[in-house]
Amino acid sequence: MTTKTAEPLDLPAPVAAYFVADATGAEAVAECFADGAVVIDERQEYRGRTAIARWKAEASAKFRYRVDRLGAHVSGQQTTVTGRVTGDFPGSPIELQYHFTLEGDKIARLEIAP
């Protein structure tokens, strides 16, 4: 998995760390989240760092993909990143919205939706 953007985006540190970790591995991704954080992806909910690490590991094992970050909107603790996801999955490429809710220096919630 790779992440890139045409121009640097001014992202809050936990969100920027998520995209770096996404190219590294499941445990690195899980460390970006608060203990009781929630991820919602493909209508499935993953609660807590262990479940989030499992979600990332399974997604990475199933498909190879990259995310091109197209833009971002930051408002308080909410950050939405638009990304074009390209890979070896049905429907590729697709534009997705990554809706982050922050809690201090960690991600409390991430919802990924078309």
Side-chain angles (χ1 to χ4, degrees), residues 19-95:
F19 285 105
V20 170
D22 198 26
T24 304
E27 292 303 321
V29 167
E31 287 301 312
C32 296
F33 289 85
D35 289 336
V38 174
V39 170
I40 299 172
D41 184 31
E42 297 184 287
R43 298 186 185 127
Q44 296 289 113
E45 182 177 299
Y46 307 89
R47 186 174 296 276
R49 285 187 181 150
T50 301
I52 291 168
R54 188 171 49 248
W55 157 73
K56 172 58 182 161
E58 290 172 0
S60 295
K62 204 156 97 170
F63 302 112
R64 281 174 289 171
Y65 63 94
R66 78 175 206 207
V67 179
D68 296 323
R69 290 175 284 159
L70 304 176
H73 176 77
V74 179
S75 178
Q77 297 301 310
Q78 308 291 320
T79 299
T80 300
V81 176
T82 302
R84 181 177 300 114
V85 183
T86 306
D88 60 356
F89 58 88
S92 174
I94 186 170
E95 280 192 17

